[in-house]
Amino acid sequence: MNKRKRQILTSARELFIEKGFVDTSINDIISAAKISKGTFYNHFASKNECLIAILDEGREEASNRRHELLYGKDPTDLEVLTQQVAVLMYVNREQNLIQIFESIFHSRDNELKKIILNYHLQELEWLANRLVQVFGEEISPMSYECAVQTLGMINLSLRAVLISDYKYINREAIVRVALRNISVIIPAMLKSKDIIISVEMINAIQNVVNYRSVSKGMVIEQLQGFTKGLSKDETVEGLEFATFLMEELQQEKPKLFIIESLLTPFRKAFVGTEHAAEARDIANNLWRYVKIEHPSEHCHKK
């Protein structure tokens, strides 16, 4: 991501939090970012596109951390899932996304509602897939219903804690209790086979959620552009990681386990630098390339 685009997003995020999304105009963003109107429209077609980019950053950060938490661990471990679910809660707080959600909660803009719906549906689909990994393929037909109930317990418990103005919120404890409860509910659901969210509804949800496709060529091109923008004096370690990842990907049969082992140190090498957002995006694409595009070649367990 270039400096101008980063500048626009930083200013937009601050304004959305301070003034609210609805009350922030494109002119406000242009003024705060100290750019021309043409520069804004070179990067974003609308204010809504700014919002999508901000939400995408939050999901990418959460996705990276979740992959890192799972790496080398048993995917059926409920405690690993607990930590993974809590990650998005921490990211939302760190990036002040909760304030942005609240500022657009009562919006009548249908496009805006679809953006937020898509954001929440991505989380629903991710959790449904992870619940199948933890509890087995037999719960696949009811995985989305389990995910809805789990997220419902988490969100309402969290809201109750916030309303009570309790100063210390242990997010992992809230998630842990919700997952414990759903693990008790699942046997009853399997026995009764009485579910609300049907296969047709699941298909409709999956059609709404849009994921970017990831190819080896796309990530190589992204890494090539990334390394060209790095100064050798900026982060020697980060440049070495980026170069090695690019060279490994260019092999006829890349060693996926090596790529996977380097993704966390690669991302962390750029934390606190102007390249952090792009490094996170590259790492996220590589996680998806390894885990989604080539699932048969990948193993979670050591």
Side-chain angles (χ1 to χ4, degrees):
M1 183 181 296
N2 63 43
K3 291 181 182 179
R4 287 293 190 195
K5 190 171 185 179
R6 168 60 44 207
Q7 196 175 337
I8 294 168
L9 285 179
T10 300
S11 298
R13 183 196 303 275
E14 290 172 355
L15 286 166
F16 293 164
I17 293 166
E18 180 186 344
K19 296 183 63 175
F21 179 84
V22 175
D23 293 329
T24 298
S25 68
I26 289 177
N27 284 335
D28 290 333
I29 298 170
I30 289 168
S31 177
K34 296 180 173 61
I35 57 168
S36 67
K37 186 170 286 190
T39 300
F40 177 88
Y41 285 110
N42 280 339
H43 296 290
F44 300 103
S46 65
K47 187 175 67 169
N48 283 2
E49 276 199 8
C50 267
L51 175 65
I52 292 171
I54 289 168
L55 296 181
D56 282 347
E57 281 196 333
R59 285 214 64 83
E60 285 169 8
E61 178 65 27
S63 180
N64 265 297
R65 294 191 198 179
R66 284 170 168 174
H67 285 308
E68 291 168 3
L69 283 166
L70 187 58
Y71 175 63
K73 305 285 181 58
D74 181 355
T76 67
D77 188 334
L78 206 57
E79 185 57 30
V80 172
L81 180 56
T82 297
Q83 300 297 323
Q84 286 184 301
V85 173
V87 158
L88 188 62
M89 299 162 73
Y90 284 112
V91 169
N92 285 346
R93 186 183 65 174
E94 290 165 12
Q95 299 191 7
N96 293 308
L97 294 181
I98 295 170
Q99 287 93 319
I100 294 176
F101 288 139
E102 288 177 349
S103 77
I104 58 181
F105 183 74
H106 299 292
S107 171
R108 296 181 180 179
D109 185 327
N110 288 330
E111 184 184 353
L112 202 55
K113 287 180 179 179
K114 186 175 180 181
I115 291 169
I116 301 305
L117 175 64
N118 188 280
Y119 180 87
H120 291 307
L121 288 181
Q122 286 183 48
E123 181 67 4
L124 178 65
E125 183 170 22
W126 173 82
L127 181 56
N129 291 332
R130 282 292 285 120
L131 288 173
V132 171
Q133 284 186 301
V134 171
F135 295 104
E137 288 292 334
E138 63 179 341
I139 76 157
S140 289
M142 60 186 67
S143 60
Y144 279 76
E145 188 148 333
C146 292
V148 167
Q149 293 188 23
T150 304
L151 292 174
M153 285 187 278
I154 292 169
N155 291 332
L156 288 173
S157 297
L158 184 59
R159 186 169 292 276
V161 172
L162 291 172
I163 289 171
S164 70
D165 199 27
Y166 189 65
K167 300 300 179 186
Y168 178 71
I169 303 172
N170 187 328
R171 287 163 171 79
E172 285 86 354
I174 291 173
V175 175
R176 194 174 290 114
V177 169
L179 288 173
R180 179 204 65 195
N181 290 346
I182 203 67
S183 69
V184 175
I185 294 169
I186 283 173
M189 293 174 69
L190 287 169
K191 185 177 180 180
S192 70
K193 293 183 169 53
D194 185 16
I195 59 174
I196 297 170
I197 302 177
S198 64
V199 173
E200 290 76 20
M201 291 170 69
I202 292 173
N203 290 336
I205 291 170
Q206 290 172 337
N207 286 335
V208 171
V209 177
N210 298 312
Y211 289 109
R212 292 175 299 169
S213 60
V214 176
S215 68
K216 184 169 74 170
M218 185 191 89
V219 184
I220 290 173
E221 185 177 345
Q222 195 176 16
L223 276 166
Q224 287 172 336
F226 182 68
T227 53
K228 284 180 183 177
L230 295 176
S231 163
K232 291 183 179 178
D233 299 325
E234 267 183 312
T235 166
V236 175
E237 186 181 37
L239 180 58
E240 287 177 352
F241 284 135
T243 302
F244 184 88
L245 285 167
M246 185 168 58
E247 290 174 350
E248 187 59 41
L249 277 170
Q250 289 172 328
Q251 301 298 316
E252 185 178 346
K253 291 185 177 181
K255 295 182 179 65
L256 300 180
F257 70 94
I258 292 178
I259 291 173
E260 188 180 42
S261 69
L262 291 176
L263 294 183
T264 300
F266 163 72
R267 180 185 67 81
K268 289 185 175 179
F270 294 99
V271 170
T273 74
E274 63 179 307
H275 308 290
E278 190 172 359
R280 182 185 60 227
D281 186 49
I282 290 170
N284 199 42
N285 284 336
L286 280 167
W287 280 116
R288 292 183 61 222
Y289 170 72
V290 172
K291 292 178 179 288
I292 298 174
E293 298 296 324
H294 301 276
S296 61
E297 298 178 38
H298 175 262
C299 181
H300 288 290
K301 297 182 182 180
K302 291 181 177 177

